[in-house]
Amino acid sequence: MKAFISWSGGKDSALALYHARQQNINIQALLTSVNHVHDRISMHGVRRSLLEQQAASLQLPLNTIELSEQPGMDEYEEAVNTSYNLFKKDGFSHAIFGDIFLEDLKIYRESQLAKQNIRGIFPIWKIDSSELINEFISLGFKAIIVCVNTKFLDKSFCGRLINESFVKDLPNDIDACGENGEYHSFVFDGPGFKSPIGFDTGEIVYKEYKTPADGDKECYTTPRPPTGFYFIDLLPAVEEIN
């Protein structure tokens, strides 16, 4: 088996990578969707240079899906299929995802993979979110909240570290892992990392995304639900991984 992992840079993909390795799955590459207009990870808003440092620390080759700022479904699927096709030609047979319980998203991913006869593996699927976030912390992973959806969380959560205090402060109706899009994170240290990713925190900015018309197909790289988001800018440290 030769696998790549769909890598967002956040805690769920880091946990999926950890669990997959515990199952002795042969992961040989990362695949990340990048907004090439702003040179940042799609949805998360993290700079490409920090993503590259993650890959270097994890000692895995980085592959990217280059997307426009708000890609339509056709553009997104064409870019994804092109990437999957290249992986298939290179002998990859499996893809790893960090999804937890969103059934429609899992089905969608599997349908896209099937076009290239690649099988999806979901190492943390159906594990309780509270259990997962506690495992993430207990394993020694370090992560910062880089984006919050204002429909669910206020600005004060943006820029916080994921720790016991963060989990305790989450409202009762919020999924502990943010599986419904409540927040996104950037993992900068933990199991599998050769060394921590250095960064400074910059300004917090607010952005709004237009609500699509009823019946429109919605690309999974577009923030859902379309509303207001706070993003914190992470500034790469001067020293990078050798």
Side-chain angles (χ1 to χ4, degrees):
M1 178 190 298
K2 186 177 179 182
F4 64 89
I5 182 167
S6 178
W7 180 260
S8 70
K11 60 167 180 35
D12 294 340
S13 52
L15 267 178
L17 176 61
Y18 174 82
H19 276 254
R21 283 176 163 170
Q22 294 301 300
Q23 298 171 27
N24 294 317
I25 296 174
N26 180 26
I27 300 175
Q28 295 193 15
L30 308 175
L31 179 63
T32 306
S33 295
V34 172
N35 178 334
H36 68 74
V37 178
H38 298 291
D39 227 22
R40 294 172 183 262
I41 298 174
S42 298
M43 293 182 67
H44 291 217
V46 174
R47 296 170 184 248
R48 188 193 298 263
S49 57
L50 288 172
L51 168 64
E52 291 171 344
Q53 288 188 52
Q54 272 188 331
S57 185
L58 291 168
Q59 302 179 76
L60 287 171
L62 173 65
N63 298 266
T64 60
I65 299 174
E66 301 291 327
L67 299 169
S68 60
E69 187 164 6
Q70 286 189 270
M73 184 63 84
D74 290 342
E75 176 192 342
Y76 174 69
E77 291 187 350
E78 181 179 357
V80 168
N81 190 57
T82 297
S83 292
Y84 288 174
N85 179 257
L86 291 173
F87 274 118
K88 185 65 177 180
K89 288 181 177 179
D90 199 27
F92 286 80
S93 58
H94 292 74
I96 311 298
F97 294 92
D99 300 310
I100 303 172
F101 59 74
L102 297 180
E103 297 279 358
D104 59 339
L105 182 54
K106 181 174 183 288
I107 292 170
Y108 175 79
R109 296 198 196 283
E110 291 175 329
S111 69
Q112 296 304 302
L113 291 169
K115 296 176 182 178
Q116 298 297 335
N117 196 28
I118 296 175
R119 179 189 170 195
I121 299 177
F122 301 79
I124 59 175
W125 183 250
K126 293 298 185 180
I127 299 178
D128 181 76
S129 292
S130 295
E131 179 182 338
L132 282 174
I133 197 69
N134 289 327
E135 179 187 27
F136 182 83
I137 295 169
S138 65
L139 285 171
F141 282 106
K142 306 295 181 184
I144 182 172
I145 305 303
V146 293
C147 170
V148 297
N149 184 331
T150 59
K151 182 178 179 180
F152 302 106
L153 296 171
D154 61 48
K155 182 181 178 181
S156 67
F157 283 91
C158 195
R160 289 189 61 173
L161 298 179
I162 294 182
N163 51 29
E164 291 86 353
S165 176
F166 168 79
V167 176
K168 182 180 179 181
D169 289 343
L170 286 174
N172 292 332
D173 59 345
I174 298 301
D175 180 72
C177 286
E179 181 73 345
N180 297 305
E182 295 96 330
Y183 69 86
H184 299 296
S185 60
F186 174 75
V187 180
F188 57 89
D189 197 12
F193 282 74
K194 180 181 178 182
S195 57
I197 311 302
F199 63 88
D200 295 313
T201 54
E203 65 176 335
I204 295 177
V205 299
Y206 176 77
K207 294 186 177 182
E208 290 186 345
Y209 292 85
K210 185 175 67 173
T211 302
D214 290 341
D216 280 359
K217 286 186 176 181
E218 190 171 0
C219 175
Y220 284 112
T221 60
T222 300
R224 300 201 313 163
T227 181
F229 293 81
Y230 282 107
F231 295 87
I232 188 168
D233 191 16
L234 302 186
L235 309 174
V238 175
E239 293 186 0
E240 299 186 356
I241 299 171
N242 293 324

